[in-house]
Amino acid sequence: MTALFPFDNSYARLPGRFFARLPPTPVAEPGLIQLNEGLALHLGLSPERLKTAEGIEILAGNRLPDGAEPLAMAYAGFQFGGWVPQLGDGRAILLGELIDRDGVRRDIQLKGAGPTPFSRGGDGRAGIGPVLREYIVSEAMAQLGIATTRSLAAVTTGEQIARETLLPGAVLTRVAQSHIRVGTFQFFAARRDVEALRVLADHVIARHYPEVSQADKPYLGLLTAVIDRQAELIAGWQRIGFIHGVMNTDNTSIVGETIDYGPCAFMDSFHPDTVFSSIDRRGRYAYGNQPGIAQWNLAGFAQTLVPLIDDDGETAATLANEAIQGFVGRFESFDRTGMRHKLGLAEEREGDVALFRDLLTRMANNKADFTLTFRRLSDVADENPVADERVSTLFENPAAFDEWAVRWRNRLAGDSQSAAERRSLMRSVNPAFIPRNHLIEEVIVAAVEENDLAPFERLIEVLESPYEDQPAKQRYAAPPKPEEIVHQTFCGT
Ligand code: AMP
Ligand code: MG
C-alpha cells in the first residue's frame, strides 16, 4: 500500500541546530473529533484511511507514519516587545512536508503533541477548547480568503490537562506553507550565527520566494517580498475585523500566513481600540495597532538580514531601513483597495479613504456591528435609500448613518460599474458570517461540559460559505445579545 502521507521533507535536511528531533508523546485514548476531508483531498491524502484506527493514532501522535521525520523547530522572539532568546516548538511536532495538489509544499504538524526540549516547563499539551477554537477560526479565515495555516484534524487524547481547572486534552493537525517565523531568523541572529542565517534565508527563498533568487540582492529581495506578504495579510485582517491578539515575532509567519490562533477574535461592534486578549493589558495588539505592529515585527526581521544584504554594514542597514519604510505604502495600497471594495467602489478617487474613515468613526461612536454594517451596505447599495433603514438601525443614532449615506450615494453615482457588478464586488469582500466569539464560546461549552460536538459541526458548516446569505442560518449572522458578549479571550496554553 502507498504511504498514508507522501512525505518529502526539506526542513529535516537543514543543520542540526535548527531543531530537536523527537517523536510525539503518545496519549491514552485517541478519538477523532473532526477530519477536514476537503483539505485532506487537496493534500493528496485519503480521508478514508485517515479515519481508520491507524489514521487516528497518527493524528494523535501515537504512531508515526512512514516517511515522517518528527522534529520541534527552534525559534526565538519578541513577546509584547520583550526579547525571549529561546522559544521554539514547545508543544508542536513537525511530522514532515508534502506537496499538495497545487504543487505547494505543506508542513504537517501536530500541535499539543507533548513536551519537547523547548517546552520551558510547559506540559506540551493543548486543551479541547483552544483546539476547537483554532480549527474554527483558521478554517473560517481560509474561506474568507485570508492567508492562513489550516486545520486538517482535531482529536481528543482521552487525557485531562491541568490548567485553571482540569480540561480534556486534544491535538490539532496544523498545515502550513511553513512554520518558519520571523523569530526563527531572530534565534540565529541573536547567536550571531550568520552561516545559519544564510542557510535559513536560502531555504526560505528556494521554498517560498524563488522569484527573488535572480535578484541583484536576493536577501534584500527576500525582505521586500516578506514585507509585501505581511502588508497584504494585515490589510486582509483589517478588512474583516480580525484581531490576532498575540502579534509577537514568533507568531509572524515568514510566508505571510495567519499563524498561532490563541486569544484571537473578530470584532462585533466596531472600535479601533478593541482588544480581547486577557494578557494584552495595554492594548499593544489592538485592532487599530495591527499595521504598526506588523511593521515593527518586520523591522526585527530586517535586522537579522543586515549581515546578508551587503558586505558593507552601513549600506546593508540603509537598504534594509528603506525596505521597512516601504511597508507603509504597501499596506496602504492593499488597505485602500479593501476599503474601496467594501464601499462598492471600483474606481479610485480622491476622498474615498476619507469617506470610509468617516463611516468607521460613525460606527465607533454608535457601536455599530462591523460585519453586519458592511454586509447590509452591500444589499442596499443599489436600492432606494428607504432601504437604508436596514443599515441605520445598527447605529445607536440612525441619523449618523443617514447623513453619511447621502455622500456615499453621490460617490456611487460617479462610479462606472453596473449595479450587478457592484453588488457582487461588495458581497465578495463583506462577509455575512464570521466566527463570532459568542458562537465559539457556545461550541466550546457544549464540547467541554456536555461532550456534545454537534454545535461545533454546525458552526464550521455555516463558516464554509461566509459570503453566501444562508437564510436558514441567520442566528449565526447576528451579533451577540448583551448577555452573550465575550469581553476577553485567553491563550491556548
Ligand atoms: P504561543 O503563545 O502559543 O505563541 O507560545 C509561546 C511559546 O510557548 C512557544 O514556544 C510555545 O511552543 C510555548 N508553549 C505554549 N504552550 C505550551 C505548552 N502547553 N507546553 C509547552 N510549551 C508551550
Ligand atoms: Mg506561538
Side-chain angles (χ1 to χ4, degrees):
M1 208 157 38
T2 53
L4 190 48
F5 289 85
F7 284 125
D8 174 37
N9 305 329
S10 66
Y11 207 79
R13 305 274 89 77
L14 297 178
R17 59 194 188 282
F18 281 54
F19 47 75
R21 291 189 194 272
L22 81 162
T25 305
V27 301
E29 200 185 334
L32 186 63
I33 299 174
Q34 188 72 24
L35 176 69
N36 188 336
E37 299 200 11
L39 179 60
L41 291 171
H42 186 75
L43 294 170
L45 307 175
S46 157
E48 288 70 37
R49 285 180 68 191
L50 285 170
K51 282 195 282 190
T52 61
E54 180 197 352
I56 296 166
E57 286 196 334
I58 291 172
L59 297 170
N62 284 24
R63 178 198 278 248
L64 270 184
D66 287 347
E69 292 176 89
L71 58 86
M73 293 164 73
Y75 54 84
F78 280 91
Q79 299 190 312
F80 291 89
W83 171 242
V84 185
Q86 176 148 325
L87 291 162
D89 290 332
R91 55 166 167 168
I93 301 279
L94 176 67
L95 292 180
E97 303 153 28
L98 49 78
I99 312 293
D100 75 14
R101 292 255 160 99
D102 293 335
V104 178
R105 182 176 290 275
R106 305 272 177 183
D107 278 3
I108 308 290
Q109 192 201 57
L110 301 183
K111 186 172 175 184
T116 77
F118 306 112
S119 296
R120 299 177 302 150
D123 62 2
R125 294 298 183 191
I128 190 170
V131 164
L132 294 182
R133 185 180 187 83
E134 172 153 357
Y135 192 110
I136 294 164
V137 184
S138 65
E139 286 307 300
M141 292 288 269
Q143 301 308 327
L144 286 162
I146 309 293
T148 176
T149 62
R150 302 289 305 268
S151 297
L152 176 63
V155 296
T156 46
T157 61
E159 295 174 3
Q160 301 280 310
I161 60 167
R163 295 297 182 261
E164 269 158 32
T165 56
L166 283 182
L167 293 169
V171 177
L172 183 85
T173 307
R174 181 161 68 176
V175 178
Q177 284 191 53
S178 86
H179 285 85
I180 301 169
R181 306 137 191 271
V182 166
T184 317
F185 281 82
Q186 289 174 325
F187 178 87
F188 295 113
R191 287 159 180 76
R192 305 201 185 287
D193 188 344
V194 178
E195 192 198 313
L197 280 170
R198 193 181 303 274
V199 170
L200 181 62
D202 289 344
H203 175 83
V204 169
I205 290 173
R207 185 166 169 182
H208 303 302
Y209 301 99
E211 65 282 4
V212 310
S213 61
Q214 302 307 317
D216 191 28
K217 290 193 176 302
Y219 303 112
L220 182 62
L222 171 62
L223 174 59
T224 311
V226 171
I227 288 171
D228 214 57
R229 293 259 184 108
Q230 281 288 328
E232 184 174 8
L233 178 69
I234 308 302
W237 292 357
Q238 304 307 86
R239 169 172 74 77
I240 54 167
F242 175 77
I243 302 166
H244 183 282
V246 228
M247 287 179 70
N248 297 332
T249 60
D250 51 302
N251 294 337
T252 304
S253 149
I254 218 71
V255 263
E257 289 180 332
T258 312
I259 188 170
D260 256 339
Y261 292 88
C264 62
F266 280 75
M267 269 191 296
D268 293 306
S269 61
F270 175 76
H271 201 287
D273 298 340
T274 307
V275 176
F276 289 100
S277 170
S278 60
I279 55 172
D280 191 1
R281 294 209 176 80
R282 295 181 171 189
R284 177 181 169 92
Y285 299 142
Y287 173 82
N289 289 350
Q290 296 189 127
I293 290 290
Q295 189 187 24
W296 191 88
N297 290 342
L298 289 163
F301 177 51
Q303 243 173 34
T304 71
L305 293 182
V306 165
L308 304 182
I309 288 175
D310 196 285
D311 290 338
D312 178 61
E314 218 164 291
T315 307
T318 306
L319 292 170
N321 198 33
E322 279 169 14
I324 288 302
Q325 299 311 319
F327 172 84
V328 177
R330 294 307 295 143
F331 170 75
E332 284 178 355
S333 161
F334 288 116
D335 194 39
R336 257 199 322 274
T337 305
M339 293 188 238
R340 240 187 23 250
H341 290 176
K342 283 184 88 64
L343 295 186
L345 304 169
E347 292 147 14
E348 194 164 350
R349 299 273 168 79
E350 217 175 298
D352 289 348
V353 171
L355 184 67
F356 186 86
R357 293 255 161 80
D358 184 28
L359 175 61
L360 286 188
T361 304
R362 289 163 190 266
M363 287 166 67
N365 292 340
N366 289 277
K367 303 195 169 59
D369 185 81
F370 183 77
T371 305
L372 273 190
T373 298
F374 285 104
R375 183 67 180 184
R376 293 194 184 168
L377 208 58
S378 321
D379 294 331
V380 304
D382 292 291
E383 296 283 338
N384 187 305
V386 173
D388 283 2
E389 206 194 340
R390 300 195 48 210
V391 190
S392 64
T393 53
L394 298 169
F395 289 65
E396 280 179 347
N397 170 17
F401 175 76
D402 292 333
E403 285 159 18
W404 177 86
V406 174
R407 284 193 287 129
W408 174 55
R409 288 182 187 286
N410 284 338
R411 172 65 185 85
L412 288 183
D415 215 58
S416 68
Q417 62 185 332
S418 72
E421 282 168 344
R422 171 172 303 128
R423 187 174 152 80
S424 81
L425 172 70
M426 292 181 80
R427 288 164 58 88
S428 72
V429 292
N430 294 325
F433 298 97
I434 51 160
R436 292 182 186 267
N437 277 317
H438 69 290
L439 298 174
I440 298 175
E441 277 310 305
E442 191 180 280
V443 160
I444 292 175
V445 168
V448 173
E449 290 176 13
E450 327 270 341
N451 201 16
D452 179 6
L453 289 164
F456 166 71
E457 280 160 30
R458 286 196 291 267
L459 180 59
I460 56 176
E461 196 186 315
V462 171
L463 294 170
E464 272 170 27
S465 310
Y467 296 106
E468 302 293 324
D469 280 329
Q470 308 187 57
K473 301 290 161 64
Q474 282 316 296
R475 185 178 102 73
Y476 294 89
K481 301 191 185 85
E483 68 276 15
E484 292 174 331
I485 295 176
V486 175
H487 295 283
Q488 266 196 341
T489 51
F490 297 87
C491 266
T493 48

